[in-house]
Amino acid sequence: MGTGIVSVALAVDGAETLSRALLAVAAAGWVALAATGIVHRYDVSFTAVAGTAVLGARAALLGWGRAAAAMLVVALTLWVVRAARSLSTVPRRAAGAAFLVVVATEALAVLAAFVAADDHAAWLAAAALAPFALGLAAYLHVVARFDLHELVDGRGDQWVAGGALAIATLACAKLAAVGEATAVLKPAALVLWSSASAWLPFLVAGELRRPFRGYDVRRWATVFPVGMYAVCSFLVASVDHVAAIGSLARAWTWLAVAVWGATLTAAVARTVGVYDP
């Protein structure tokens, strides 16, 4: 999921060669995880839904419309399987991972908007408004239960609190770009972008207050939001014609690459036994 969104950010920024390299890594990881899940009969996760949708969006950017549409069907199926018991199981003191229900739901809206744009399917763009609105409602449900101590004590997934709003921003901006309720969604995208950005000082301050050294698999949940901030900023800059946000998007893209590289390096170091978390 994190690798896929960084690939998307690089593609939007024009770094196509590096983007395709990360796409190959993300696709290989998706196939491996899918095969493992099938063999061991693991429960479907919201991470699987979002990862599938992100790969579908990248396929759409490459002009692979049929592949993107197929990924949308897969992502929707996985979401239906997983979503039935999601909101009822959000704890009263939720960690950042609880926001994955929002991420997965908004990811459906994003991919549907990309497929609708490629196929000029107005009905699909209209249908994408449903997961977009549902994702926002889910965000309000989860954020009311989010434990703010996670901003300091979290091991990476606390960033999803902001990343969930960032992907909602992307969904909103992409739907505005395809002409769906543009008069409402264009300003809404800017409001959502500002709200997502408002998390950043608190997320960064939490990292600085209690720096985490070593590796934790939850650090991959930081990679995705950082990459998503870049992608949503590109789209908002485009639909709302705010050049400064586009400049921020380019900076965030390379920050996302750096965070991805650092996380991968830590994961490899942990695997070969250089250090323990």
Side-chain angles (χ1 to χ4, degrees), residues 42-277:
Y42 292 147
D43 288 340
V44 172
S45 69
F46 281 124
T47 302
V49 177
T52 301
V54 167
L55 283 179
R58 184 65 184 95
L61 286 173
L62 287 167
W64 300 346
R66 290 184 180 180
M71 297 295 269
L72 177 58
V73 172
V74 173
L76 178 59
T77 302
L78 293 174
W79 184 88
V80 169
V81 170
R82 180 64 181 86
R85 56 188 175 83
S86 59
L87 292 180
S88 63
T89 59
V90 176
R92 290 185 178 273
R93 297 175 65 86
F99 287 98
L100 286 172
V101 59
V102 182
V103 172
T105 306
E106 294 292 351
L108 291 177
V110 170
L111 181 51
F114 271 98
V115 174
D118 285 347
D119 293 344
H120 305 288
W123 68 270
L124 184 56
L129 290 171
F132 168 62
L134 181 60
L136 290 179
Y139 186 85
L140 295 176
H141 181 81
V142 177
V143 77
R145 292 160 175 75
F146 180 55
D147 184 358
L148 292 177
H149 291 96
E150 287 292 306
L151 294 173
V152 175
D153 298 333
R155 287 295 177 263
D157 62 321
Q158 71 272 18
W159 280 80
V160 189
L165 270 184
I167 192 171
T169 303
L170 175 59
C172 188
K174 186 61 181 178
L175 286 168
V178 299
E180 191 61 37
T182 301
V184 174
L185 293 181
K186 284 179 66 175
L190 194 56
V191 170
L192 286 171
W193 181 87
S194 300
S195 300
S197 299
W199 278 102
L200 292 174
F202 302 101
L203 291 165
V204 173
E207 294 280 1
L208 295 176
R209 182 173 179 180
R210 186 175 293 180
F212 175 65
R213 297 177 177 83
Y215 175 71
D216 190 302
V217 70
R218 287 171 290 181
R219 184 50 79 184
W220 285 105
T222 302
V223 177
F224 180 80
V226 174
M228 185 54 69
Y229 273 111
V231 178
C232 79
S233 296
F234 276 121
L235 266 292
V236 171
S238 176
V239 300
D240 285 304
H241 308 293
V242 183
I245 295 179
S247 298
L248 285 172
R250 283 184 284 275
W252 271 101
T253 295
W254 294 102
L255 176 61
V257 172
V259 173
W260 177 85
T263 304
L264 179 63
T265 300
V268 171
R270 173 69 180 89
T271 300
V272 300
V274 172
Y275 56 69
D276 291 319

